[in-house]
Amino acid sequence: MSPSRFRVASYNVHGCVGRDGVFAPERIVRVINEFKADVIALQEVVAPSDTDGVPGGALHLLTRSFVGHSVWAPAYHGVRHDFGNLLLSRWPIVTSAIVDLAVRRREPRNAIDARLAAPFGPLQVIATHLGLRAGERRRQVDTLHRLIKESDGPWPTLLAGDLNAWYPFSNILRLMGQQMPLRPSVVTFPTPRPFLALDRILLRAPGGRMTVFRHHTEAARIASDHFPVVADIDLEPPGPPVVYSLPADRRQESPMTPRSTSRTRSALGLAGFVTGCLAVSAVGGAITASSVGSWYPALAKPSFTPPSWLFPPVWTALFVLMGVAAWRVWRQAGWTEGRPALGAFAVQLLLNLAWSFLFFGMQWVGAALAEIIVLLAAIAWTTARFARVDRPAALLLVPYALWVSFAAVLTAAIWLDN
């Protein structure tokens, strides 16, 4: 390769446990030797807890088999082994720092921020593995965003790792794209039939070009549940030498703080979601009022039917809880990242309104019974979506799901008796 052309790879090695359940770091080494990259970011690397250099340990084998330099960043310290990120480089590593990306009550995460002395000049590489939840990733990307901005310089900057951002219009990728515009993707997970682009290589280099591909070989298919993602990068001819060093106060970042959201904006959002849900409740109440005083009392009803006065306060309380749940999802993930969950929420709200129209408005009990079953499925779908973003938000929907289940039983009994 020319001095300004090089190869970068990112590989989640799954603790060196292959798809066959066998711990075999030598298979990971074989895959790494296949794609022959100059810089490699590895995630989910294991190492013995007592010392990093124990013969036979995965970390020892990976670093010994790669001719160059390395930075080991354990994110998790266990009784028997450590677990974290490993950066391998053919070129000298001038400075490095481990940046804490931990989010409270979530699995520990970090990033390696390294400066390499490449043949074409300085190169900044950030290697990381982001969290599983949208709100968690958003906070971590805020830290990385600030990290890149603070170290802004004329040298190229790479970010490589498992970003866990599978959504094509992810807010995470949009934010990173503001600073690192070159971010083509390929699907890498899972290896039996890959369809998610979890592993990414992003580049900021004026005039640079990057070709990204999945290293899809039989050895890679078995060695881990992720395929490696590899990028061939071409840079413009190097300019005058640049001298830089990592500031002393950046050698170890302090734990990150949550994404800043103004109290006013958060309060307005809460008010908006609760008001919207209560507005839907009011429309449903207006439809119910047309029949609740005449048609409904004349129906034959089972003995477990609650008194009519109980329904308004219960539904009001449930719609308030629903509004708070939707607000929590929005606060954690924003509109873009939270779109799947909030979209499911909107669908079930419309179905809730449709039940009032069918049962009280049209007085079609059989159709209302069929529709409420669909509504229950939509509530379950929404709850599952909310749980991926914010578990308390999902729990806030549980009373609603239980009450609608009771309403379905009551509707079925009325249909049978009439």
Side-chain angles (χ1 to χ4, degrees), residues 69-324:
H69 309 266
S70 65
V71 178
W72 165 236
Y76 167 79
H77 297 281
V79 176
R80 300 181 58 186
H81 66 270
D82 296 343
F83 195 77
N85 299 305
L86 176 64
L87 178 65
L88 302 175
S89 170
R90 304 280 184 200
W91 309 311
I93 299 173
V94 179
T95 58
S96 66
I98 300 175
V99 182
D100 189 357
L101 298 180
V103 174
R104 190 167 62 93
R105 292 184 299 193
R106 301 300 301 159
E107 183 179 342
R109 305 283 179 172
N110 64 28
I112 300 171
D113 179 19
R115 310 298 198 277
L116 313 183
F120 48 80
L123 173 67
Q124 179 183 11
V125 177
I126 300 172
T128 190
H129 186 187
L130 300 187
L132 297 176
R133 295 197 175 183
E136 178 186 6
R137 292 194 299 272
R138 174 59 191 264
R139 298 178 187 181
Q140 292 164 345
V141 165
D142 282 347
T143 298
L144 295 177
H145 204 276
R146 185 170 64 249
L147 182 71
I148 297 169
K149 184 177 180 180
E150 290 175 355
S151 60
D152 191 20
W155 47 82
T157 299
L158 273 167
L159 187 145
D162 181 353
L163 303 189
N164 272 315
W166 58 270
Y167 185 50
F169 306 103
S170 168
N171 200 32
I172 304 299
L173 298 176
R174 180 184 60 80
L175 287 173
M176 294 307 303
Q178 294 175 1
Q179 293 181 318
M180 312 190 79
L182 292 179
R183 48 191 177 97
S185 64
V186 294
V187 294
T188 55
F189 178 87
T191 49
R193 191 180 297 273
F195 65 96
L196 295 178
L198 301 183
D199 306 280
R200 303 271 181 159
I201 297 174
L202 284 65
L203 172 66
R204 181 186 65 183
R209 297 184 302 277
M210 181 167 64
T211 302
V212 176
F213 61 94
R214 179 178 69 239
H215 183 73
H216 195 144
T217 64
E218 183 61 23
R221 190 180 67 83
I222 299 297
S224 173
D225 58 349
H226 289 243
F227 281 111
V229 59
V230 183
D232 286 330
I233 298 174
D234 289 280
L235 302 177
E236 287 189 333
V242 178
V243 178
Y244 65 110
S245 61
L246 188 67
D249 61 354
R250 276 273 314 287
R251 294 196 176 275
Q252 180 65 46
E253 293 279 348
S254 59
M256 58 169 299
T257 56
R259 174 169 64 102
S260 60
T261 301
S262 69
R263 290 187 177 182
T264 301
R265 181 172 181 267
S266 181
L268 289 174
L270 176 59
F273 278 104
V274 172
T275 301
C277 288
L278 289 177
V280 173
S281 176
V283 173
I287 296 172
T288 301
S290 63
S291 299
V292 75
S294 55
W295 170 76
Y296 181 72
L299 291 174
K301 293 182 284 293
S303 59
F304 56 84
T305 303
S308 297
W309 61 263
L310 182 63
F311 288 96
V314 169
W315 276 115
T316 299
L318 292 175
F319 273 97
V320 169
L321 290 178
M322 290 160 60
V324 174

